[in-house]
Amino acid sequence: MLNFASDINRFQMQNHFKALTLSYKNAPIVIREEVALNEIACRNLLDKIREFTEAQDVLVLSTCNRTEVYYSSPKDLSREIVKLLAIEKGFVATKRIMPHFRHITAHQEAVQHLFQVALGLESQVVGDMQILNQVKKSYQWASDAGMAGPFLHRLMHTIFFANKRVANETAFRDGAASVSYATVELVEELTDHLLNPRVLMIGVGEIGANVCDNFRKSSIENLTIVNRTHHKALELAQKCNARVAYWENVWEEIKLADVVISSVPGDCFFISKAEFEQCGPQAPTFFIDLSMPRSIDSDLAALKGTSVHNVDSIRNRTTQALELRLAAIPAVQYIIADAIAEFSNWTREMTMSPALQQFKNRLEEVREQEIARYLKKLSTEEKALVETITKNMLNKIVRMPAMRLKAACMRGESDALLEGLSSLFDLEKEEFPAADVRI
């Protein structure tokens, strides 16, 4: 391989993209909530990774269904990152959680995994549109922390473009087969024997707001919203034609409700069995916990006439929209494969660009040295003409190896040609900024 110092090294990092993932597929909810990160914790973990590792292009993603870290490094930093995550969460021992993490150290597999996560193929409810917004936020945090280089910037924008193709070219985004829609569907089924059931929504974060929005299309009409920040609850209630109550009265509202849905993290608010039992005979029958960490005591299910449902129990619900999405999966996978192929070509060209720029600069040195011998004898018009002619000649000379190298990149065979170009022109002795060669 070539050794073009910092420029080449930076772009070679692109071939060492990795992923560390813990999700509903390999970890129970009790483990997921233990490692779940809010925005502040995600940003803190980014800072720790930057300070204590050599990882580049780092993306930290944490939702109710997954906690993942993507990064570029020649070394597998899984253990180091899990330890930093444990420190951020306030515990030291990692032996218990480590087996639940999956380490993806193959570059192409890690890229593929991020595509599939971002576009909803890995979601618990296939095609869940919320995940892309969460990925976008994670990308913003990486940019803010200075942990997003050219590789990650290009990768994320390739993913965003692929998502637009999925929306425009397939039925994968059609319908409302999402966690929020599945929640509303579950409420309808649980309360179909009740007349005008009373539903309480606690928390209006992204998922809570989406649930309320889906209730607008539901037969459920008696919806009350409670949130710590009252004006947010009020704004949402006006959009959803719902009633709003003050946070100070949350337990009174719980007592009045038939269904309680909570999307408030359990470390901020928790409905315990002991407090619930104090609500008396008019207490609700159904609880739905969309929080991470959980905010509803699972022991409530032991009480007569009470059931508790969490994000793991809200499975893919058989709807026409979901069936359309499942049928669209092959088309989505084709778009992903096409996007990854385009992205791989770009990464190879970025590895090639510093060498081509050095080659062009070396020829430019020769051109300038030779022209300097004769320019003093020429008029202003003649100097301009010679400059134009010789620059055109240089560009045509560079054009052929550039085209050959780009074609070799498309075939994944550029290394040998770059080695030859380097040896012939002694390119490794100089460093030039990576740039696309204009031909």
Side-chain angles (χ1 to χ4, degrees), residues 13 16-22 34-35 37 41-42 44-62 67-95 97-98 101-105 147:
M13 290 287 282
H16 296 293
F17 195 57
K18 296 175 174 60
L20 179 65
T21 171
L22 181 149
E34 190 167 353
V35 301
L37 305 168
C42 285
N44 288 344
L45 182 57
L46 279 167
D47 292 339
K48 286 181 172 65
I49 293 173
R50 181 183 59 211
E51 183 176 357
F52 296 107
T53 77
E54 296 179 356
Q56 298 179 16
D57 292 306
V58 182
L59 188 77
V60 176
L61 173 66
S62 190
T67 295
E68 298 183 327
V69 179
Y70 298 86
Y71 64 97
S72 290
S73 172
K75 300 177 182 178
D76 181 358
L77 301 176
S78 299
R79 290 191 175 277
E80 290 88 340
I81 292 174
V82 171
K83 288 180 181 178
L84 292 174
L85 187 153
I87 292 171
E88 176 60 33
K89 291 294 292 183
F91 59 90
V92 178
T94 60
K95 290 183 179 180
I97 65 171
M98 184 67 79
F101 279 96
R102 178 186 171 206
H103 310 159
I104 305 176
T105 56
M147 295 296 281

Side-chain angles (χ1 to χ4, degrees), residues 54 61 73 169 189 234-235 242 250 269 274 289 326 390:
E54 296 179 356
L61 173 66
S73 172
E169 300 174 22
E189 291 182 8
L234 188 60
E235 290 174 3
V250 64
F269 174 73
D289 192 350
L326 293 174
T390 54

Side-chain angles (χ1 to χ4, degrees), residues 39 43 81 83 109 209 309 324 336 349 355 394 410 436:
E39 177 179 344
R43 289 180 181 271
I81 292 174
K83 288 180 181 178
E109 187 181 354
H309 306 263
L324 287 172
I336 289 176
E349 287 190 16
L394 185 148
M410 298 288 288
D436 288 320

Side-chain angles (χ1 to χ4, degrees), residues 123-251:
S123 296
Q124 194 169 31
V125 176
V126 177
D128 190 344
M129 290 181 286
Q130 296 173 28
I131 185 63
L132 187 67
N133 290 331
Q134 292 163 329
V135 169
K136 287 181 177 179
K137 289 180 180 177
S138 297
Y139 173 43
Q140 182 63 57
W141 302 337
S143 297
D144 293 344
M147 295 296 281
F151 171 82
L152 187 59
H153 284 306
R154 180 69 179 230
L155 175 58
M156 298 310 299
H157 285 282
T158 303
I159 289 173
F160 300 153
F161 181 74
N163 179 68
K164 289 182 180 179
R165 286 192 59 190
V166 168
N168 294 332
E169 300 174 22
T170 76
F172 196 62
R173 293 284 182 239
D174 293 351
S178 64
V179 170
S180 56
Y181 180 77
T183 299
V184 173
E185 195 175 61
L186 176 61
V187 172
E188 291 175 339
E189 291 182 8
L190 293 173
T191 61
D192 62 354
H193 63 290
L194 298 176
L195 180 63
N196 194 25
R198 295 162 296 185
V199 178
L200 174 65
M201 181 75 237
I202 304 175
V204 294
E206 184 174 359
I207 190 168
N210 286 333
V211 169
C212 292
D213 186 62
N214 276 288
F215 270 121
R216 296 167 61 187
K217 311 158 193 172
S218 167
S219 59
I220 303 293
E221 296 180 351
N222 194 345
L223 174 66
T224 299
I225 301 173
V226 175
N227 190 60
R228 285 186 183 276
T229 307
H230 185 72
H231 76 85
K232 290 184 178 180
L234 188 60
E235 290 174 3
L236 183 60
Q238 290 172 345
K239 294 178 182 177
C240 301
N241 193 29
R243 172 177 167 267
V244 65
Y246 285 98
W247 180 262
E248 292 79 6
N249 301 325
V250 64
W251 280 102

Side-chain angles (χ1 to χ4, degrees), residues 198-200 252-260 282-285:
R198 295 162 296 185
V199 178
L200 174 65
E252 286 297 319
E253 296 300 330
I254 290 174
K255 182 177 180 179
L256 294 171
D258 296 302
V259 181
V260 173
Q282 292 186 333
T285 305

